[in-house]
Amino acid sequence: MSVLTAQMSSDGGPWRLYVVVPGSADWPTAAIEAGPVPTVAERREVLAALGYEVRPGAEWAWTEDSADPDDDSTPVLLIAAVTVRTRAGVPA
């Protein structure tokens, strides 16, 4: 099973969850139309639909970014990340 990183981000619109696949330009991606922040259960369901699962013991870590880090009045982009692996029985 591959060990990869899933990230989820939003700039105020729908959340986008994607799995970073090194060496690939076509990352597994899904939009989440959930409320302000998708629940852990919603994230788990989307990851499963993409063929991945959170690694045992891994926790989501949050950070924020902006288009212009030197201007604190620009909108914030929230980013969450967690270590994932391919689900058993799902081709990598």
Side-chain angles (χ1 to χ4, degrees):
M1 286 188 215
S2 301
V3 178
L4 303 166
T5 299
Q7 294 183 334
M8 184 177 74
S9 63
S10 176
D11 59 2
W15 287 87
R16 192 178 78 136
L17 190 148
Y18 48 94
V19 178
V20 179
V21 181
S24 173
D26 189 27
W27 295 349
T29 304
I32 305 174
E33 299 288 341
V37 177
T39 66
V40 173
E42 289 168 326
R43 292 177 240 165
R44 183 176 50 248
E45 289 173 13
V46 171
L47 281 170
L50 294 174
Y52 298 88
E53 63 188 5
V54 173
R55 289 188 52 85
E59 294 183 15
W60 288 89
W62 290 86
T63 190
E64 59 182 60
D65 196 6
S66 67
D68 183 355
D70 295 326
D71 181 358
D72 65 2
S73 67
T74 58
V76 172
L77 171 69
L78 291 176
I79 304 167
V82 69
T83 304
V84 297
R85 64 184 183 189
T86 54
R87 291 178 52 223
V90 177

